[in-house]
Amino acid sequence: MPHKAPAPADARPTAKPGAGSGSGPADAPPESPAADIDAGQFARNMLTVGMKSQQLLLDFIARRKADPGPLDPLNITGAMMALAKAMGEDRQTVLQAQVRWWTDVMTLWESTARRMLGGQAPSLVEPAPGDRRFRAEAWQQNEIFDFIKQSYLLTANAMQDTVGRLNGLDEAERQRVAFYTRQFADAMAPTNFPLTNPEVLNATIASNGENLVKGLDNLLADIERGQGELAIRQSADGFVIGENIATAPGKVVFRNAVMELLQFSPSTDEVHERPLLIFPPWINKYYILDLRPENSFVRWLVAQGYTVFLVSWVNPGPEMAEAGFEEYMKGGIFAALEAVEQATGVRDPNCVGYCIGGTLLAATLAYMAATGDDRIHSATSWAAQTDFSEAGELSVFVDEAQLDALKARMDSQGGVLPGSKMAGAFNMLRANDLIWSFVINNYMLGKQPMPFDLLYWNSDTTRMPEKLHLSYLRNCYRDNALALGKMTQDGVKLDLSKVKIPAYFQSAREDHIAPAVSVFKGSRLFGGPVRFIIAGSGHIAGVINPPAAKKYQYWTNDKKAADIDTWRAGAKEQPGSWWPDWDAWLAKLSGGKVAARVPGDGKLKVLGDAPGSYVKVKAQ
């Protein structure tokens, strides 16, 4: 499953659209409790909360009756049955886990009692690095809340540890069970309940319960916006495509049923002779590469003297239900190559594929190698997989029961998958940051989310054609057919070892969608010269990291390595962004300098201004 990209762990909301300050959605310190509660106002607010909650429940029941849908589309039942079977057959591991947990809990009771009597006692367990749920002072200073926190962490850790130790689970089952066990543990965190969250308690006392009333209003608004399903707002409004995001100057120079092709205006007098053609993932909109001027990859590339063409994929409707990899290869990559040649006279541009766009590009390169087509000079892969044998947690969504449920869902929607369904799956990969933090902020504290361009993009979803999406999940995630040489495209068998052009593979250390080990293994399938690097951060910030920000780092290793552990052992850490490293590699493959090209100067006429029309089509 491709790209709905989770926000990076260090991402920070902005106080204004396009700004870069502030902290997480629930970062504000708790308000001081009011000295006195207005009992009458508090009672009225609680009555309002009760009435709205009752109506919410009734509406939910009515919607389930009208459209019951699959009871278990994620096949959680199958994972839990596998867990129960393994626990029944490996009683020794279960007993040992219970003894360890009980011993830890008794020790915690003892240390808590010592603290309540005025003594000192060290914590038995601390939140993992990066876990922001327990930052409020009360979780450290108040003995009761500290006990709740530690008992929760001990239990959550024990659950995960038991799953890891159990015999009788194959690795695929263990991964699925561990994933859903973590989802359950995250959902049961004391921070997610008003009575065990000190920040929510303080806010409730200070506002006489007004926060809960506002929170329910936010919840109802999100359900209405999701047309009966919960669509959590991660960013306040305030962004307009083409006005304060996706503003790099350029033109639409080609359009068909699959994509619009954007050519961006030059900012230098001379440009590299060979243009650059970028294929973003079709599961998202292209403007992750052009959010704000200061972090726009597009603007940076133009400033380095590249003629940049970028595909903006259509947001498909039921009319494209039968479009598959072949249609996206021919109507996307091949049509774009022809258009670039018409616009510039160059028949073999350098090409880039981002995430699932990189998977399509790799499959197309294998097809071109088999058919003698040499219209791509070099290929760059940003956070893209071709070997899915270690594809990470997204693999938990591709067992047969889930694929059948997914097909039924798409059939009911006319042959497309609503973008909100994909967004939900990606948000689950980082549920505490992308789901539960907003549940607390929006529904319990009654606040509005901050305006944040990255999370606005994250929620600006696209639909998936049924044939394309299912073939991707089955061929790549389930069968790993592209890596094994068993995948065909338009009747041609694909063999990545026949791809001899230079290739650059960017991965990211904390990428949960395209793990670095997966990208590394895929890079070794290609038959030409390959450069592989690992960037800091994750799937988004690992790619979108302008040099001026002076953030993160990247690792390089020019020696061949049989596996990623060997590669890491010999890698050298480099400070800052990986973009200059790629630029140095790419410039050598881009020819001499020519006069800057203006969109419309070639044989292609301008059809309209960037960002075009396809990117503006909204869909659930």
Side-chain angles (χ1 to χ4, degrees), residues 330-600:
K330 294 176 180 178
I333 292 181
F334 288 168
L337 289 171
E338 293 169 4
V340 168
E341 183 176 3
Q342 287 185 287
T344 66
V346 178
R347 69 179 299 275
D348 61 340
N350 296 312
C351 290
V352 178
Y354 187 1
C355 190
I356 191 174
T359 306
L360 174 67
L361 178 60
T364 302
L365 287 170
Y367 178 91
M368 295 172 74
T371 56
D373 189 339
D374 62 352
R375 288 181 295 162
I376 293 179
H377 188 72
S378 77
T380 295
S381 167
W382 296 339
Q385 301 176 91
T386 52
D387 186 314
F388 289 76
S389 58
E390 296 187 57
E393 288 184 330
L394 282 175
S395 300
V396 305
F397 296 112
V398 292
D399 63 69
E400 282 304 315
Q402 291 185 79
L403 291 176
D404 289 344
L406 185 63
K407 185 180 187 306
R409 164 69 71 171
M410 288 190 280
D411 287 341
S412 71
Q413 298 288 326
V416 293
L417 178 68
S420 59
K421 300 302 178 185
M422 287 300 303
F426 282 102
N427 288 341
M428 286 174 70
L429 297 182
R430 290 185 55 226
N432 287 326
D433 290 332
L434 296 177
I435 298 176
W436 298 113
S437 66
F438 293 100
V439 169
I440 295 166
N441 183 77
N442 301 3
Y443 307 148
M444 290 192 239
L445 294 175
K447 298 178 180 179
Q448 295 293 327
M450 299 285 284
F452 188 11
D453 52 6
L454 179 57
L455 289 181
Y456 175 84
W457 166 84
N458 194 50
S459 62
D460 188 9
T461 57
T462 59
R463 292 177 289 260
M464 297 292 106
E466 180 172 323
K467 182 179 178 181
L468 177 70
H469 196 51
L470 287 177
S471 63
Y472 174 61
L473 295 178
R474 287 171 174 154
N475 277 312
C476 295
Y477 273 94
R478 187 190 65 181
D479 300 336
N480 200 21
L482 180 57
L484 296 175
K486 297 180 179 179
M487 184 173 172
T488 60
Q489 192 99 309
D490 199 28
V492 175
K493 196 170 184 179
L494 306 182
D495 182 353
L496 290 172
S497 69
K498 294 181 179 179
V499 179
K500 305 296 184 180
I501 62 174
Y504 187 107
F505 289 83
Q506 177 272 343
S507 64
R509 180 176 58 176
E510 300 166 15
D511 193 335
H512 298 291
I513 294 174
V517 62
S518 182
V519 178
F520 176 87
K521 293 181 73 172
S523 73
R524 271 31 191 181
L525 299 174
F526 286 69
V530 166
R531 182 167 180 79
F532 171 84
I533 67 106
I534 298 179
S537 197
H539 196 68
I540 301 300
V543 175
I544 310 302
N545 182 23
K550 298 181 179 179
K551 293 177 66 176
Y552 310 128
Q553 68 283 97
Y554 64 99
W555 290 264
T556 62
N557 185 350
D558 294 331
K559 296 181 180 179
K560 290 186 177 180
D563 54 66
I564 196 167
D565 291 333
T566 304
W567 189 95
R568 289 181 192 271
K572 181 180 179 180
E573 182 176 337
Q574 314 281 355
S577 172
W578 62 274
W579 292 6
D581 181 84
W582 178 54
D583 178 35
W585 179 88
L586 186 64
K588 295 175 183 178
L589 299 165
S590 298
K593 292 296 185 72
V594 299
R597 304 176 176 103
V598 176

Side-chain angles (χ1 to χ4, degrees), residues 83-102 158-159 161-163 165-167 169:
L83 174 61
K85 182 175 182 292
M87 292 177 68
E89 295 175 352
D90 190 4
R91 295 180 182 275
Q92 182 177 359
T93 296
V94 174
L95 179 60
Q96 290 171 346
Q98 290 174 336
V99 170
R100 284 193 300 270
W101 175 80
W102 184 249
M159 291 165 59
D161 182 65
T162 302
V163 170
R165 293 172 182 265
L166 273 175
N167 296 308
L169 291 171

Side-chain angles (χ1 to χ4, degrees), residues 142-157:
N142 183 287
E143 291 85 357
I144 300 300
F145 282 114
D146 180 65
F147 174 81
I148 292 173
K149 174 192 71 177
Q150 291 197 60
S151 61
Y152 163 74
L153 292 173
L154 286 173
T155 302
N157 292 346

Side-chain angles (χ1 to χ4, degrees), residues 299-318:
R299 288 178 184 265
W300 186 85
L301 286 167
V302 168
Q304 308 316 303
Y306 294 101
T307 302
V308 177
F309 292 84
L310 195 155
V311 164
S312 175
W313 300 104
V314 71
N315 196 342

Side-chain angles (χ1 to χ4, degrees), residues 181-194:
T181 300
R182 192 181 79 236
Q183 298 300 316
F184 174 77
D186 289 347
M188 292 292 101
T191 47
N192 298 336
F193 299 90

Side-chain angles (χ1 to χ4, degrees), residues 251-255 261-264 266 271-277 307-310 334-349 594-607:
K251 303 293 182 181
V252 179
V253 295
F254 178 81
R255 179 186 297 118
L261 185 66
L262 309 179
Q263 180 182 351
F264 292 94
V271 295
H272 292 285
E273 180 182 9
R274 182 169 284 108
L276 182 65
L277 174 57
T307 302
V308 177
F309 292 84
L310 195 155
F334 288 168
L337 289 171
E338 293 169 4
V340 168
E341 183 176 3
Q342 287 185 287
T344 66
V346 178
R347 69 179 299 275
D348 61 340
V594 299
R597 304 176 176 103
V598 176
D601 279 355
K603 295 181 180 179
L604 291 181
K605 300 306 177 186
V606 170
L607 302 181

